[in-house]
Amino acid sequence: MWRNYLSAALRNLSRNRLYAAINIVGLAIGLAAGIFAGLYVREELSYERFIPGHESIYRVSMTRQVPGAPAAAFSTAYHRVSEWLESDFPEIQASSRLWIVRTAVRHGEFEAQQSVGFADRDFFRVFALPAIAGDLATALSTPDGIVLTRQAARKYFGEDMPIGKTLELDRSAVMRVTAVIEDLPSNTHLNFTVIASNARLLQELQPLPEFNVRKFEAHTYFSLDPATSLQSLRERMTGLIDRHQKFPPGIQLQVDVLPIDDIHLKSSAQFPLEPPGDLKTVYAIAAVGILIVLIAGINFVNLMTSRASQRAVEVGVRKAAGASRRDLVLQFIGESLIHVTIAMLVAVAAVELLMPYFNALLDRSLSGDPTATIQFEYWRDPMLALALVAAVLIIGLAAGFYPAMVLSAFRPIDTLKTGIVRSAGSFTVRQLLVVLQFGVLVLLILATAVIHRQTQFALNEGLRIDRNQVLLVSFRDARTRQGFQEALREVAGVEAVTSSHTAPTNRGTIQLTAERAGGSPAALQFTPVDFNFHEFYGLQPLAGRLFSRERGTDAVPANATSAVASGDGAAQLALIVNEATVRTLGFATPDAAVGQILKIKEWSPDLQYSIVGVIPDFPVDSIRVAVQPTVYFVDQNRLSMISARLNGRAIPETLTQINRLWQRIGEPRPIESQFLDEYYGLLYTDVRQQARLFNGFTVIALIIASLGLFGLSVFSAQQRTKEVGIRKAMGAGTQEIMRLLLWQFLRPVLIAIVLALPLGAWLMQRWLSGFAQRASIEAWLLIAAGAVVVLIGALTVAAHVILVARWRPAAALRYE
């Protein structure tokens, strides 16, 4: 019996090659998309799961609340929180701080700039990472201890176990390799390949004021006794900072903890080690993958039920020969499983071939590191292999059940008498399935358009600064910077130069407490800049003026070590603020802020700080975060970043000249430069990846839906051939027939548009609500999405509709 069923299934596939091809190709494309979506979702949900004991590891975060401003959450904590946690809570087994610093690393003649982690001696007690060589328990116990990943060991030493050999950090600290660990996979927020003892770094921090921003940049982790209640710990941590340290009045600091498993997808805190993901987007990608497989399944159901009448005689004969309905249901579900199995084999082959392109789509293959790519190794991953087999069974059974019930329900007497049976209700079901199919397509097209629009907004008009061809060069020594900056102005290809502390990003700004006359203290971000900083970035004042070299009070005096000291003959210091500062300090308008005097607690009380201008808000970090109240002042002693605008012509030659200039008069370390476009591109890596994924999935959904509609149009046109002949014989013209057939096929598409557009607009509005600055969803965008779907539907069936409408009546009437 089973051999007979298999023979009938293969014979049916061979006899109906067009429909079999549409079914298998559509299913294969849908399954491949589902596999890609599943791999992406699994990767996003698996962050930190490779770390032994990850369930008991937590990160300390800090929330700062100041009067007149919303609470700000940071992924870092005050540097002494680690020791307070260990002293106050015995259930904390180990804790460690982590600083990530960009510095030069040298071995022999080879030197490179890279991110280096500086951590406490107990770091590897918290993170029990696998060691290749050395003892991680004592690896960071000495001030010169340094641990490398396998990749870093090969990079600097050309071997896997360089234990005892030395590296030089920042051309000043000689470090001894004490251990080597395995390369960290891509699904972690720990973005280092070199981690060193923080003893020297702590010595540098000692002379800094207690309320200095650098001391807030420690990422703090601890491992907790698994028997401890996290909720109880959180309650007892309330007021931890206030119990140990007093900060300026009006500033409230609270600490909280977050499981490391949740850092990637459930943290919106500022200054993360890695750009976070978005849990809503992960769910959306999972839903899209399921919907695309659903679309492919809908095609299968539609084509199987639409061709039910073609197999009516076969069903009648089998029933007359004694086959029960159960036997027929098993036969047709078996055929469905054969279709899905073939489609899955094709899909798996396609995924294997396309994996390099998929990783490139997600920027995972740029480093050339295999640990950074998503793998599709089902032969090594039993769970993945089991998932593929389960998908075949579930999809095969689900997609084959309804067609099997329809086909097995035919009565032998009807099928053997006429050979043709019209399946009651099947046409309505097919119409509903087409509505669902194109409704999903509408949602995907709208989502793709909105995500693309938001991406362009984030990288262009949302920035509100002129970032075109801006090269950033980092410095350590202010005197060297000044000489390099002056020489840089003479380089051919360089149009303009300015400098600042962290231009124009928010990393490393100074957090100070300011107060206007009659107002409350407020925590503001203070950023040192050069005189022409705002002109360089195309920022015009909303009120007041910009800095000027001709005004003696527009800069910290040259003989002052910083803005804390006033220097001789200085009566005041000019400040430029953004709109967020105006709101935070309680000024009604930008004009009302100009000329006002601020008191800054941490700086000299003898020096007046006067607001001379107000500039527009512009995001210096991700547009997911509200623009922070920022104050700009001129202090040549604090500038460590040069911004050079290139003219865009002969850029490689210009960069070569800049490198030569660096070697001649720059610092001895390798030049550290980056285009501003690259920085903002990294900020929105996740948004750009989402845009690419939705672009790809939309194209796939479009292909599958078009294949299904084409298959239905071919079969439906064949079914209505006689009707077309009669209509033409009665005088109907070609255009009238075309309108009739097009309306039949486009009606469910139009219904799908009407139903899906409001839902899509609501869903994308919710997605956009995750951004502090965002583009709007305008009416034309909805209309365009609907028009694209109508056009796709019309083009899919147009060729066949035209062919049928032009048949001669005699040929059409002879068809049946």
Side-chain angles (χ1 to χ4, degrees):
M1 181 179 68
W2 295 108
R3 182 181 298 175
N4 180 266
Y5 287 165
L6 179 61
S7 175
L10 296 176
R11 199 163 49 242
N12 184 56
L13 283 173
S14 176
R15 187 183 302 119
N16 300 285
R17 293 184 182 88
L18 175 62
Y19 296 98
I22 291 175
N23 257 342
I24 292 174
V25 171
L27 276 172
I29 294 173
L31 290 172
I35 292 172
F36 281 128
L39 292 173
Y40 174 82
V41 170
R42 186 175 73 158
E43 176 82 359
E44 290 292 293
L45 294 178
S46 66
Y47 265 64
E48 322 304 344
R49 304 297 170 91
F50 71 96
I51 300 174
H54 62 89
E55 307 90 344
S56 302
I57 303 175
Y58 300 87
R59 186 192 70 188
V60 181
S61 58
M62 185 178 68
T63 301
R64 185 188 68 213
Q65 178 72 61
V66 297
F74 299 91
S75 63
T76 52
Y78 182 58
H79 76 117
R80 297 190 61 191
V81 165
S82 177
E83 63 185 77
W84 296 339
L85 288 172
E86 289 194 4
S87 65
D88 290 12
F89 305 101
E91 58 267 45
I92 291 179
Q93 298 172 330
S95 69
S96 178
R97 296 162 295 183
L98 174 66
W99 284 267
I100 299 293
V101 179
R102 187 82 177 170
T103 189
V105 181
R106 182 168 70 167
H107 173 68
E109 298 300 317
F110 179 75
E111 186 173 21
Q113 289 278 355
Q114 76 165 70
S115 296
V116 175
F118 291 88
D120 294 313
R121 60 185 299 168
D122 284 344
F123 181 82
F124 291 107
R125 284 188 60 200
V126 179
F127 297 96
L129 300 174
I132 298 173
D135 182 9
L136 291 180
T138 59
L140 301 180
S141 298
T142 58
D144 64 344
I146 191 168
V147 177
L148 308 180
T149 63
R150 186 192 296 269
Q151 176 188 5
R154 291 176 177 177
K155 175 180 178 179
Y156 290 102
F157 298 101
E159 58 175 295
D160 288 350
M161 301 182 185
I163 303 299
K165 297 184 178 181
T166 60
L167 284 173
E168 192 175 359
L169 300 185
D170 202 27
R171 294 203 173 191
S172 58
V174 177
M175 311 296 287
R176 181 174 53 85
V177 178
T178 53
V180 178
I181 61 175
E182 284 289 357
D183 293 334
L184 299 180
S186 60
N187 54 344
T188 180
H189 77 292
L190 301 174
N191 59 351
F192 57 79
T193 57
V194 176
I195 187 162
S197 167
N198 63 8
R200 286 189 172 90
L201 183 65
L202 291 175
Q203 289 178 357
E204 294 179 13
L205 293 178
Q206 289 303 321
L208 296 176
E210 278 297 308
F211 196 66
N212 189 285
V213 67
R214 289 184 64 189
K215 292 195 173 185
F216 283 93
E217 291 180 351
H219 293 262
T220 304
Y221 305 88
F222 65 85
S223 57
L224 186 66
D225 186 337
T228 302
S229 166
L230 179 60
Q231 183 59 35
S232 171
L233 180 67
R234 279 179 167 149
E235 292 173 356
R236 287 182 289 137
M237 286 176 62
T238 302
L240 175 69
I241 293 180
D242 291 338
R243 292 198 298 269
H244 290 272
Q245 182 79 40
K246 297 300 180 183
F247 287 107
I251 296 180
Q252 298 179 5
L253 298 176
Q254 294 291 338
V255 295
D256 195 7
V257 297
L258 184 71
I260 61 164
D261 295 354
D262 294 341
I263 289 175
H264 180 61
L265 293 177
K266 297 182 181 180
S267 174
S268 57
Q270 299 182 46
F271 309 129
L273 287 179
E274 282 284 293
D278 181 20
L279 186 60
K280 291 187 293 185
T281 299
V282 172
Y283 289 154
I285 295 296
V288 168
I290 293 171
L291 289 173
I292 289 178
V293 175
L294 179 62
I295 290 176
I298 288 172
N299 276 354
F300 179 86
V301 172
N302 273 344
L303 291 175
M304 287 287 284
T305 55
S306 67
R307 292 189 56 79
S309 61
Q310 301 291 316
R311 304 191 68 177
V313 174
E314 176 190 346
V315 172
V317 170
R318 288 187 180 277
K319 281 196 170 185
S324 66
R325 186 174 185 184
R326 175 179 172 274
D327 294 332
L328 292 171
V329 167
L330 290 176
Q331 175 193 346
F332 292 126
I333 287 181
E335 289 186 15
S336 171
L337 287 170
I338 291 173
H339 276 84
V340 177
T341 301
I342 296 173
M344 179 62 82
L345 294 174
V346 175
V348 168
V351 171
E352 288 183 334
L353 290 173
L354 296 174
M355 277 307 297
Y357 302 99
F358 181 66
N359 280 300
L361 192 74
L362 299 177
D363 295 330
R364 296 297 185 98
S365 58
L366 298 180
S367 64
D369 179 11
T371 62
T373 59
I374 298 176
Q375 302 295 317
F376 182 55
E377 297 179 337
Y378 53 88
W379 59 91
R380 296 180 181 175
D381 190 339
M383 292 302 297
L384 181 57
L386 184 62
L388 296 176
V389 173
V392 169
L393 294 175
I394 294 171
I395 296 169
L397 293 173
F401 179 76
Y402 178 73
M405 297 303 294
V406 170
L407 291 168
S408 63
F410 295 154
R411 297 170 57 195
I413 189 170
D414 295 331
T415 58
L416 295 177
K417 184 187 299 182
T418 64
I420 300 175
V421 175
R422 307 288 183 184
S423 302
S426 61
F427 177 77
T428 301
V429 172
R430 289 197 298 273
Q431 293 284 303
L432 291 175
L433 292 178
V434 172
V435 169
L436 177 59
Q437 193 175 44
F438 275 85
V440 172
L441 183 58
V442 170
L443 292 176
L444 286 176
I445 289 176
L446 183 60
T448 300
V450 172
I451 292 174
H452 176 76
R453 184 171 170 80
Q454 178 65 9
T455 304
Q456 295 305 308
F457 177 84
L459 296 176
N460 295 293
E461 62 263 32
L463 290 180
R464 301 180 185 173
I465 60 172
D466 184 1
R467 59 183 176 86
N468 186 44
Q469 300 295 348
V470 174
L471 181 70
L472 305 178
V473 182
S474 297
F475 268 86
R476 305 287 181 84
D477 189 293
R479 290 170 297 180
T480 306
R481 176 199 60 76
Q482 291 176 355
F484 184 85
Q485 182 171 336
E486 292 304 316
L488 192 59
R489 299 181 193 274
E490 307 302 321
V491 172
V494 176
E495 291 184 342
V497 179
T498 191
S499 56
S500 57
H501 188 54
T502 54
T505 71
N506 199 30
R507 302 300 173 98
T509 55
I510 307 162
Q511 301 172 19
L512 300 172
T513 310
E515 183 179 351
R516 58 173 285 200
S520 301
L524 307 176
Q525 308 284 343
F526 279 71
T527 299
V529 297
D530 206 349
F531 287 99
N532 66 332
F533 173 81
H534 298 101
E535 292 95 329
F536 180 93
Y537 282 104
L539 294 166
Q540 297 300 318
L542 299 174
R545 61 176 179 84
L546 299 179
F547 295 124
S548 172
R549 293 184 183 274
E550 282 68 38
R551 296 176 181 266
T553 59
D554 272 13
V556 173
N559 60 341
T561 57
S562 70
V564 176
S566 61
D568 297 332
Q572 66 179 18
L573 177 65
L575 306 175
I576 291 177
V577 302
N578 64 355
E579 295 172 276
T581 304
V582 172
R583 294 190 296 271
T584 301
L585 295 177
F587 295 112
T589 63
D591 288 308
V594 175
Q596 298 293 321
I597 303 298
L598 299 183
K599 293 173 60 178
I600 301 175
K601 177 178 176 56
E602 293 81 11
W603 285 356
S604 171
D606 301 325
L607 184 60
Q608 292 185 336
Y609 304 97
S610 174
I611 298 176
V612 299
V614 178
I615 61 169
D617 285 341
F618 67 95
V620 293
D621 212 326
S622 171
I623 60 173
R624 286 191 173 91
V625 181
V627 175
Q628 296 294 308
T630 306
V631 179
Y632 299 90
F633 65 99
V634 177
D635 186 349
Q636 298 290 338
N637 298 316
R638 290 176 176 261
L639 307 184
S640 57
M641 180 81 75
I642 287 179
S643 299
R645 188 178 306 281
L646 311 186
N647 61 19
R649 299 185 297 273
I651 289 180
E653 291 79 2
T654 303
L655 294 177
T656 299
Q657 292 184 58
I658 292 174
N659 288 335
R660 289 173 181 170
L661 181 64
W662 178 275
Q663 294 170 3
R664 182 163 53 89
I665 63 174
E667 298 178 356
R669 306 170 185 85
I671 187 171
E672 185 178 358
S673 62
Q674 180 186 34
F675 277 99
L676 187 58
D677 278 343
E678 296 175 359
Y679 169 80
Y680 281 111
L682 290 174
L683 276 183
Y684 304 117
T685 296
D686 60 324
V687 181
R688 290 186 291 109
Q689 288 178 359
Q690 293 165 24
R692 293 170 187 167
L693 284 173
F694 272 91
N695 286 341
F697 287 140
T698 299
V699 172
I700 289 171
L702 189 155
I703 293 171
I704 296 173
S706 298
L707 278 173
L709 191 60
F710 176 76
L712 282 178
S713 69
V714 171
F715 180 77
S716 182
Q718 290 175 355
Q719 293 289 86
R720 302 186 68 174
T721 301
K722 194 168 187 177
E723 176 192 345
V724 170
I726 294 172
R727 288 182 179 275
K728 297 203 77 173
M730 297 297 291
T734 299
Q735 291 184 354
E736 186 178 346
I737 299 297
M738 288 178 58
R739 284 195 298 268
L740 175 68
L741 295 177
L742 279 174
W743 171 247
Q744 175 192 341
F745 298 126
L746 293 182
R747 181 172 56 189
V749 174
L750 293 172
I751 294 173
I753 292 170
V754 172
L755 294 177
L757 281 181
L759 175 61
W762 178 75
L763 290 174
M764 295 316 298
Q765 195 64 53
R766 292 200 60 181
W767 180 78
L768 287 172
S769 66
F771 296 88
Q773 297 94 41
R774 52 186 176 268
S776 59
I777 301 179
E778 299 174 358
W780 69 264
L781 199 60
L782 303 179
I783 296 171
V788 167
V789 174
V790 171
L791 182 62
I792 291 168
L795 292 176
T796 300
V797 301
H800 200 74
V801 165
I802 293 172
L803 180 64
V804 172
R806 296 182 63 182
W807 279 357
R808 290 180 299 128
L813 292 173
R814 283 200 307 266
Y815 181 79
E816 297 185 12

